[in-house]
């Protein structure tokens, strides 16, 4: 299931971040969160995509925030 969602999450993260390295980092974070979520495996495919899209978006924002904080230091 996570393999199917990986490319989708990457495209979302890349759209938000505009950087391949950061998008890959955000995608990994979203996949880790999805892997720990017991509910996502029992959902229909479309609901899985919607939930993973939210996870990918949140992870992308978190990665961007971390990068900005590191640059500010």
């Amino acid at each position: 299931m996570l393999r199917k969602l990986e490319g989708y999450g990457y495209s979302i993260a890349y759209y938000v971040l505009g950087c391949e390295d950061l998008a890959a980092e955000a995608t990994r974070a979203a996949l880790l969160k999805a892997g720990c979520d017991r509910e996502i495996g029992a959902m229909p495919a479309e609901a899985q995509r919607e939930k993973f899209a939210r996870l990918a978006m949140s992870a992308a924002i978190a990665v961007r925030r971390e990068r900005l904080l590191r640059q500010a230091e």
Side-chain angles (χ1 to χ4, degrees), residues 6-7 10-11 13 16 22 24 27-31 35-36 38 42 45 47 52-54 56 59 62 69 72:
E6 183 177 9
Y10 178 83
S11 65
V16 171
L22 295 179
T27 303
R28 281 191 297 275
L31 287 168
C36 294
R38 295 179 186 204
F52 192 70
R54 288 191 299 274
L69 288 173

Side-chain angles (χ1 to χ4, degrees), residues 5-46:
L5 296 172
E6 183 177 9
Y8 181 60
Y10 178 83
S11 65
I12 291 169
Y14 185 80
Y15 178 78
V16 171
L17 298 166
C19 173
E20 292 179 6
D21 292 336
L22 295 179
E25 184 179 336
T27 303
R28 281 191 297 275
L31 287 168
L32 286 171
K33 286 183 183 179
C36 294
D37 187 338
R38 295 179 186 204
E39 295 176 358
I40 199 167
M43 295 176 165
E46 187 59 34

Side-chain angles (χ1 to χ4, degrees), residues 8 12 30 33 43 46-61:
Y8 181 60
I12 291 169
K33 286 183 183 179
M43 295 176 165
E46 187 59 34
Q48 286 176 347
R49 282 177 55 91
E50 290 174 12
K51 185 163 188 169
F52 192 70
R54 288 191 299 274
L55 289 173
M57 183 71 70
S58 295
I61 291 169

